[in-house]
Amino acid sequence: MISIAVLGHGVVGSGVAEVLTINQGSITEKVGQPVVVKRILDLRSFPQLPYADKFTTNFDDIVNDTEISIVVETMGGLHPAYDYAKAALSAGKSVVTSNKELVAAKGDELLALAQANNVSFLFEASVGGGIPIIRPLWQCLAANEVEGIAGILNGTTNFMLTHMVQDGMSFEDALALAQQLGYAERNPAADVEGMDACRKICILASLAFGKHVYPDQVHTEGITHLTAADVRCAEQLGCVIKLIGKARRTEDGVYCLVAPMLVPKDSILSGVNDVFNAILVQGNAVGDVVFYGKGAGKLPTASAVVADVIDAAKHQGAPHCLSWEPAAPNHVLNSTDEAFSFLIRFETTEREALSARLVESFGDITVVNCLENELVVVTSPLSEKELSRRLSALPEAAPISCLRIASL
Ligand code: HSE
């Protein structure tokens, strides 16, 4: 019998207990012995549950229990999750986590610690919820040099954008519904301000390019400033707006960025709606591969966590060691140097005069007149640095919004 502990009995932690119970028979067959939850750490008690006797508020009951060989961390946040993960790995226990904040901040260190202790540190559920992406990236695509990754990595914002566009729902109502359905983070600012997607693209970029990309190195924009007018302009251009996490390898380093972008309707990512996520990986041998599925929610996320538990249980003593190295600060390039086409909206009643000035300054520019009292243009690809330089030379042209057009 394999005894495990679960840290945190929230949406994901309770889902892990549920999946281990409903699929007990097949999991036992796959592992070759039963996998049993021995302890659950939570500050709350759940007297109504049939496994109420397993709860503890003391981590020492877990880390000092030599029968427990796998610790599942689903608490979220950096502390105490990091301290508990470190203590469990140091005590020779494998750690499985769904915690992207933890992996994005401390992945290099925890992977090295796992390797030193000959145990697993696995985090399939940290990106894309139920979508298999971590294991395919480091195993199935191992023969490739990954050139780029782009994805819809946050289920909450994708759910919100879908309902705001398709049903005219307000930002607040769409967020409340996503929270009610268990998609959003404890603090939904991490979803709507892009930090959750940032942590996920950091994990993917670290894995794909072999060196740690830290969240504070990544330019991150959320969806809080988007308006119905932006959505209408996107529509007119044959695009939809999606929150995109993107990483691209160059000879000098890695570009990494999270921002709402216009996605052309002929791109496979444009049709990804609701809580679904999709991740496009470009390999130099395989070409483009897309991973699609439910990116958040109790059972989809628990599905990925329990798969890691099965992996850790089957490979005790000979763990799968994925790893990446710590990186120098210049590994991540300045995203303001990366070129994009931009959709820019200017408030004006003098469209023709402003458009003439913009043509003078930008040269190649396309006017898309989709809104009254506005001039809306699309630039040819240029860096954000260059865009700011040209706009600052036109003080009369203060944009009311500026969105990148995704190049996928
Ligand atoms: N809040 C996250 C999301 C949960 O909406 O994608 C899954 O990581």
Side-chain angles (χ1 to χ4, degrees):
M1 181 171 80
I2 305 272
S3 295
I4 75 168
V6 180
L7 312 184
H9 195 260
V11 174
V12 182
S14 61
V16 169
E18 187 173 334
V19 170
L20 282 168
T21 305
I22 57 180
N23 294 339
Q24 193 178 24
S26 63
I27 292 170
T28 302
E29 259 174 48
K30 283 168 194 153
V31 175
Q33 51 188 320
V35 177
V36 174
V37 177
K38 186 172 179 193
R39 285 288 194 182
I40 300 172
L41 182 80
D42 205 295
L43 291 176
R44 303 160 295 176
S45 58
F46 296 83
Q48 77 286 5
L49 290 176
Y51 51 88
D53 58 319
K54 301 190 177 196
F55 280 83
T56 175
T57 55
N58 186 355
F59 179 66
D60 288 346
D61 291 343
I62 290 166
V63 76
N64 295 331
D65 186 333
T66 51
E67 274 178 22
I68 293 173
S69 56
I70 301 171
V71 173
V72 174
E73 187 278 306
T74 61
M75 310 170 80
L78 202 48
H79 294 288
Y82 166 60
D83 315 275
Y84 290 169
K86 225 165 51 162
L89 292 169
S90 303
K93 301 179 193 304
S94 290
V95 171
V96 170
T97 184
S98 58
N99 184 340
K100 48 255 153 170
E101 189 173 353
L102 174 67
V103 183
K106 302 286 182 187
D108 50 354
E109 183 190 329
L110 294 173
L111 284 165
L113 188 59
Q115 207 161 350
N117 285 282
N118 201 32
V119 290
S120 302
F121 177 62
L122 299 171
F123 43 87
E124 184 61 64
S126 65
V127 181
I131 306 171
I133 176 65
I134 301 293
R135 203 165 273 101
L137 200 52
W138 69 278
Q139 285 187 336
C140 314
L141 298 177
N144 288 263
E145 292 285 336
V146 174
E147 288 162 347
I149 301 175
I152 295 170
L153 299 170
N154 182 265
T156 299
T157 47
N158 205 43
F159 177 90
M160 290 173 65
L161 287 171
T162 304
H163 288 276
M164 286 161 71
V165 172
Q166 293 180 356
D167 312 330
M169 210 179 249
S170 70
F171 183 93
E172 291 73 20
D173 287 350
L175 177 57
L177 187 56
Q179 284 179 295
Q180 198 184 316
L181 293 169
Y183 302 150
E185 295 301 300
R186 265 187 308 190
N187 175 2
D191 295 301
V192 297
E193 287 169 11
M195 277 316 295
D196 180 76
C198 167
R199 291 166 184 146
K200 291 168 179 168
I201 196 67
C202 286
I203 296 169
L204 294 177
S206 303
L207 194 54
F209 307 130
K211 288 191 177 152
H212 203 123
V213 173
Y214 301 94
D216 60 3
Q217 298 174 310
V218 177
H219 176 83
T220 300
E221 294 171 27
I223 64 162
T224 48
H225 60 283
L226 288 179
T227 63
D230 294 321
V231 171
R232 279 211 300 285
C233 283
E235 178 73 35
Q236 181 131 348
L237 277 173
C239 296
V240 288
I241 300 179
K242 297 285 181 192
L243 183 64
I244 299 289
K246 205 170 169 292
R248 187 165 65 83
R249 186 169 56 100
T250 72
E251 279 182 5
D252 302 324
V254 169
Y255 280 117
C256 207
L257 170 76
V258 174
M261 295 187 197
L262 272 73
V263 178
K265 282 190 182 159
D266 59 5
S267 157
I268 196 160
L269 295 186
S270 73
V272 176
N273 287 320
D274 280 306
V275 73
F276 284 85
N277 285 188
I279 300 140
L280 170 69
V281 180
Q282 298 168 318
N284 68 344
V286 72
D288 288 1
V289 189
V290 178
F291 299 86
Y292 172 83
K294 281 196 175 157
K298 180 176 173 171
L299 293 185
T301 309
S303 148
V305 173
V306 174
D308 277 351
V309 170
I310 293 172
D311 187 327
K314 283 174 74 173
H315 297 100
Q316 287 193 328
H320 280 144
C321 284
L322 74 163
S323 67
W324 61 70
E325 296 168 19
N330 64 356
H331 174 58
V332 179
L333 304 171
N334 188 338
S335 70
T336 60
D337 289 331
E338 191 178 14
F340 285 92
S341 284
F342 289 86
L343 172 88
I344 315 179
R345 292 174 42 220
F346 301 93
E347 193 172 357
T348 181
T349 47
E350 313 211 341
R351 272 188 191 162
E352 302 222 332
L354 182 56
S355 126
R357 293 279 289 131
L358 288 169
V359 170
E360 244 171 58
S361 170
F362 282 82
D364 195 10
I365 206 159
T366 309
V367 174
V368 197
N369 272 331
C370 48
L371 298 168
E372 248 179 71
N373 294 329
E374 286 192 16
L375 175 68
V376 183
V377 299
V378 174
T379 69
S380 45
L382 80 173
S383 69
E384 198 186 326
K385 210 179 265 170
E386 184 58 19
L387 176 71
S388 305
R389 197 185 62 76
R390 294 193 198 193
L391 285 175
S392 60
L394 299 173
E396 74 275 30
I400 44 179
S401 88
C402 191
L403 289 165
R404 293 171 185 80
I405 301 183
S407 47
L408 305 171

